[in-house]
Amino acid sequence: MHPTQLFELVIVMFLAIIALHYAAHRLGLPPSVGLLAGGAALAFIPGLPTIAVDPELVLVIFLPPLLMDGAWSIALARLRRHLIGIGSLAVGAVLFTCVVVAVVTHLLFPSLPWAACAALGAIVSPPDAVSARAMLQRVKLPRRLQILLEGESLLNDASGLVLFRFAVAAGVTGAFSATEAVGSFFVLALGGALVGAAVGTAWVMLVRRLGDEYLIIAATVLLSWTSYLLGEMLHVSGVIATVTTGLIASWHQSNVLSASTRMRGTSFWEVLVFLMEASVFILIGLSLRGVVERGGGFGVVVSTMGWDILAILVALTLARFAWVFGSDAAIKLCNLLGLQRYKPIGARGSTVLSWAGVRGVVTLALSIPDGFPGRDFILVTSFAVILVTVLVQGTTLGWVIGWAKLTEPDAEKPRLTMSQAEAAMAQVQFAIVQTLAYDSQGELIHPKLLEKYQRKAVAIVDYAERTEHYTPLIHAHFDVVLEAVACGRRELIRLHRAGDIDDETLHELERDLDLEELSAMSAKA
C-alpha cells in the first residue's frame, strides 16, 4: 500500500471512529461494541484492502499510553490496600486460566503439543486494560471492585506476556522449566519496576527544570513509550516499567505541574487516549477479514472449529469464576480462623468480578510464529475470544451490576466527604489570609480579602453540615451563573465580529469565561 493511501486509510478510520462512537451512544451500546462491530463490517466492504495488523507494532503503539493513563488515574492508596487481591487476579487468575485452557485444548486436540496448548492459554488468559477501561467508564461499582479490576488490568498483561513467551519458546525448542519460568517472571517484574522508578524520577526532575508548558506536556506524553521501550530494551517487563512510571508521575504531578499545564495537558491527553482506545477496537474489527480468510472462510471456521472454540470459551469463563469464587471462599475461611484483615466480597460481587474479564489488545497483539503447531486454530480462537467477550460480556456487564445491587461497605468509604474536605481547605486558607492581612504594625491592609475568605470559611462549614438543604439552592445558583456566562460569551463574540476587540482580547476573556463555566459545572456535579 502506498504511504499516501495508508494515511488516507488512517483518516477514514478516525472519521469512522467518530461516526461509530456517536451511533453506539445513540443506540445505548458500549462504544467498544459499536467500534468493534463497525470495524468488522467495514472489513468486508468490497474494494477495501485487507488490514494486516502487525502485532508487535500494535503492542508498542497502543499499550504503553493506555497503561500510563490507567496508572495515572488509579487511586494509589486503595491500590496498596488491595495489592494482595490484585496480585491474586493479575498473577494467580491468569496462571490458573492458562492451565485450564491448555488442559481443555489438549483434550480436544490430543495431537497438539502441550506448548501450543499453553500458548493459547497464555494469549487468552489476561483480561485487557483497554477493554476494562471501556467497561468501567460506563458502570458504577463499589470502590473495592473498581480498584481490583483497574489494578488487575494494569498488571496482568505482564503475567500473560511472560507465560506466552515461555510457551512459544517451549514449542520451538521443546524444552521448558517451571522453575526457570517463575524465576524469570520475578526478575522481569523487579527489573521493570526499577526501570519504571528510574524513568519516573527522571521525569519529575526534568519537569521541575523545563519551565515551558508545551515542553512539559510533550515530555509527559512521551513518558509511557520511553519507559516501555527502555524496559523492553533492557529485557525486563515493559508493562511493569510503564505502570511504575505512571504511578510515580501521578503521585508527584500535583506538586510539579502548574494549574495551566495540568489543564492543557489533560485535555490533550484525554483526546489522544480516546483516539487510541477507539482505534484498538476498530482495528480488532478490521482484522476480522484476515482471520476468517486464514481459517478458510466463515463456513469452514464455523463447521470445523466452532464447537472447539465454544468449549474453550466456556472453559475460559468458568476458570475465572472458579478462581474468583475460590479466592472469596478462602477469605471467608481466613475470617473463620480469626484473620480479619480482608473481607469477602460475597457471591454477587464475585459474579460481577468474574463477568468483567473482557479480552482485547494484548490477545490481539500476541503473535504466533509461522510453523508453530496449531497456529491457525490459535489465531482464530484468540480472535473469537475477543469478539465474544467484548460483544457479550461488554454489553451485559451493566445488567449484571444492576442485578447484583452492590453497596459500598463502610470500610471502603472515605473518612471525609467532598464538602468536608472543602471545609478543611477553606479553614486553612482563611487562617493564612488572616495572618497576611495585617502589616508589621498590626494594621489591617487587606480588609476585603479577609472578609471574603472568612465568609467562605463560614459558608462552606455550614454547607458541609446541611448539604441536603443547600444542594437545590446551589444548583439554582449555578444555573444562573451558567446563563450569565453564556450571555457574556455571546456579547464577547458580538464585539469581536463587529471589530470592536482584537483576537488577543477575545481569547483572554474567553479563557476567563471558560474557567468560570468549568467551575460552575463542577460545583453543580
Side-chain angles (χ1 to χ4, degrees):
M1 184 183 297
H2 191 274
T4 303
Q5 292 178 313
L6 179 61
F7 177 73
E8 291 170 351
L9 188 61
V10 170
I11 296 301
V12 170
M13 184 182 73
F14 285 152
L15 292 173
I17 284 171
I18 296 172
L20 292 171
H21 203 282
Y22 175 77
H25 174 72
R26 296 288 294 178
L27 295 173
L29 295 172
S32 56
V33 173
L35 292 164
L36 193 150
L42 290 172
F44 290 93
I45 293 178
L48 189 71
T50 301
I51 305 298
V53 179
D54 186 321
E56 288 292 335
L57 188 60
V58 167
L59 200 67
V60 171
I61 290 176
F62 293 103
L63 188 59
L66 296 174
L67 286 172
M68 176 69 70
D69 188 62
W72 191 284
S73 59
I74 201 167
L76 193 55
R78 293 205 299 270
L79 179 69
R80 289 198 300 264
R81 191 186 315 154
H82 297 293
L83 195 57
I84 293 179
I86 292 169
S88 170
L89 291 169
V91 179
V94 169
L95 179 59
F96 178 72
T97 304
C98 178
V99 171
V100 169
V101 171
V103 170
V104 171
T105 304
H106 195 69
L107 291 174
L108 293 171
F109 303 97
S111 60
L112 197 64
W114 275 106
C117 300
L120 175 59
I123 290 173
V124 300
S125 57
D128 182 56
V130 184
S131 302
R133 281 172 44 85
M135 289 191 309
L136 295 177
Q137 288 171 354
R138 293 177 53 86
V139 298
K140 180 66 175 176
L141 284 174
R143 287 179 174 85
R144 183 179 176 186
L145 291 185
Q146 184 92 10
I147 199 67
L148 286 174
L149 287 171
E150 289 179 355
E152 177 195 15
S153 71
L154 288 177
L155 301 176
N156 62 11
D157 292 339
S159 306
L161 288 167
V162 170
L163 286 173
F164 173 75
R165 286 167 182 169
F166 271 93
V168 170
V172 173
T173 64
F176 176 76
S177 169
T179 304
E180 183 183 352
V182 173
S184 294
F185 175 78
F186 284 107
V187 170
L188 291 171
L190 179 60
L194 292 174
V195 169
V199 174
T201 303
W203 175 83
V204 173
M205 297 171 62
L206 178 66
V207 166
R208 282 176 171 158
R209 288 164 173 77
L210 280 178
D212 185 277
E213 288 187 1
Y214 296 106
L215 291 178
I216 292 172
I217 293 171
T220 305
V221 169
L222 296 174
L223 187 61
S224 60
W225 287 293
T226 302
S227 186
Y228 182 87
L229 293 172
L230 184 59
E232 293 296 312
M233 189 186 304
L234 296 175
H235 304 292
V236 296
S237 174
V239 171
I240 299 295
T242 306
V243 171
T244 304
T245 298
L247 293 173
I248 292 173
S250 173
W251 180 260
H252 289 282
Q253 60 91 15
S254 298
N255 296 323
V256 300
L257 298 181
S258 67
S260 176
T261 303
R262 190 159 37 249
M263 287 184 63
R264 291 179 177 178
T266 299
S267 299
F268 174 79
W269 182 255
E270 286 178 350
V271 174
L272 177 66
V273 167
F274 163 75
L275 288 175
M276 289 199 143
E277 192 175 273
S279 297
V280 168
F281 289 108
I282 203 166
L283 281 173
I284 291 173
L286 287 170
S287 62
L288 174 62
R289 180 174 166 183
V291 173
V292 170
E293 289 176 351
R294 174 178 288 276
F298 273 116
V300 174
V301 168
V302 172
S303 62
T304 61
M305 303 182 187
W307 289 110
D308 298 322
I309 292 174
L310 180 61
I312 291 171
L313 276 165
V314 172
L316 180 74
T317 304
L318 292 179
R320 183 172 176 87
F321 270 85
W323 182 269
V324 172
F325 275 85
S327 300
D328 207 47
I331 293 174
K332 290 178 182 177
L333 179 61
C334 290
N335 288 170
L336 291 175
L337 295 175
L339 301 174
Q340 301 292 328
R341 181 178 179 183
Y342 294 101
K343 299 295 181 184
I345 58 178
R348 291 176 181 263
S350 296
T351 301
V352 172
L353 194 61
S354 302
W355 194 242
V358 178
R359 274 65 179 179
V361 63
V362 173
T363 300
L364 173 72
L366 295 179
S367 59
I368 297 293
D370 291 331
F372 194 82
R375 183 174 189 267
D376 289 347
F377 176 75
I378 292 173
L379 290 175
V380 173
T381 303
S382 301
F383 192 90
V385 167
I386 300 172
L387 203 65
V388 172
T389 55
V390 171
L391 294 180
V392 176
Q393 292 173 234
T395 54
T396 58
L397 181 62
W399 179 85
V400 172
I401 292 172
W403 162 82
K405 293 184 172 63
L406 301 173
T407 56
E408 189 78 69
D410 291 338
E412 293 295 323
K413 293 178 180 177
R415 291 192 297 271
L416 297 178
T417 65
M418 184 178 293
S419 299
Q420 290 169 330
E422 288 176 332
M425 288 193 304
Q427 293 298 317
V428 297
Q429 286 178 322
F430 171 60
I432 191 64
V433 171
Q434 192 173 32
T435 302
L436 300 175
Y438 297 87
D439 62 15
S440 57
Q441 283 75 40
E443 182 180 349
L444 181 61
I445 56 175
H446 299 297
K448 295 295 184 181
L449 202 58
L450 182 61
E451 181 186 354
K452 171 187 173 182
Y453 277 90
Q454 183 178 24
R455 186 169 62 250
K456 179 181 176 182
V458 172
I460 196 64
V461 169
D462 187 37
Y463 174 77
E465 293 173 351
R466 297 195 295 160
T467 303
E468 296 80 6
H469 170 72
Y470 281 112
T471 297
L473 300 176
I474 292 292
H475 283 195
H477 169 86
F478 284 107
D479 282 338
V480 175
V481 172
L482 289 172
E483 284 296 328
V485 169
C487 184
R489 194 185 306 279
R490 287 193 294 271
E491 176 63 13
L492 183 64
I493 293 172
R494 188 194 68 79
L495 292 172
H496 181 258
R497 299 293 187 267
D500 295 331
I501 59 174
D502 58 15
D503 288 354
E504 184 177 348
T505 302
L506 169 70
H507 296 320
E508 286 292 327
L509 294 179
E510 192 174 41
R511 185 188 63 178
D512 293 343
L513 288 173
D514 288 344
L515 291 172
E516 188 176 0
E517 181 178 345
L518 288 173
S519 177
M521 292 177 67
S522 176
K524 278 191 64 178

